[in-house]
Amino acid sequence: QVQLVESGGGLVQPGGSLRLSCVVSGRTFSSYRMGWFRQAPGKEREFVAAINYGGTTTYYADSVKGRFTISRDNAKNTVALQMNSLKPEDTAVYYCAGGWVFGAGKGFGPGTSRAYDYWGQGTQVTVSS
C-alpha cells in the first residue's frame, strides 16, 4: 500500500544541475528512512544518498559527495535529491527508496538496498553534451 512516485529526471549537459523529487504515500512518512539509488545499463544498482527519519543525518556515496544533496520535507511527504556539477558517469535510472522503521531492513545500514522496503519506478537522468 506504500507508493513512491519520482519525478524530475531528464537530459542535462555536463556541469548542469537537476533536482529529483519523490512523493511517498501509504504510511507516516516520518517513520521511513529515505534513500536514492541509481543503476546504469549493464551495471549493478548503487547507493547514492540517504537521509534518516528526522532529516538530521545524511549519507552519500563518495562518487557524489559534495555535488549531490538529499533532503526531506516530512510535512509534504517528499524527499529530494539536488544534483549539481553533473557528469556523464551520473547517467542512470535513479530510484527513490523507503525503509520503514518496522520493516525487514531496519537492521541494515542506509547504503545497502536491503535497508529499504519500498521502491519507486525510477526516473531517467542523462548527462550528455
Side-chain angles (χ1 to χ4, degrees), residues 5-123:
V5 180
E6 299 136 330
S7 63
L11 174 64
V12 297
Q13 294 187 344
S17 298
L18 206 60
R19 184 177 178 88
L20 306 182
S21 182
C22 175
V23 181
V24 181
S25 63
R27 290 186 182 270
T28 302
F29 181 67
S30 61
S31 296
Y32 290 84
R33 70 169 72 169
M34 300 299 300
W36 288 95
F37 291 74
R38 67 187 183 186
Q39 187 169 25
K43 298 184 65 177
E44 298 288 335
R45 183 176 297 183
E46 66 174 345
F47 169 74
V48 176
I51 188 166
N52 74 334
Y53 310 111
T56 56
T57 307
T58 57
Y59 310 85
Y60 297 96
D62 289 341
S63 59
V64 306
K65 193 171 185 178
R67 299 187 298 120
F68 291 11
T69 302
I70 188 171
S71 62
R72 68 189 296 159
D73 186 339
N74 286 352
K76 297 182 178 180
N77 289 6
T78 60
V79 60
L81 184 69
Q82 178 66 45
M83 304 184 293
N84 298 327
S85 302
L86 284 163
K87 305 174 181 179
E89 50 263 46
D90 294 319
T91 296
V93 177
Y94 283 70
Y95 297 90
C96 178
W100 188 36
V101 64
F102 297 124
K106 64 181 181 297
F108 295 91
T112 176
S113 296
R114 301 296 176 86
Y116 303 91
D117 308 297
Y118 306 99
W119 295 82
Q121 79 287 352
T123 184

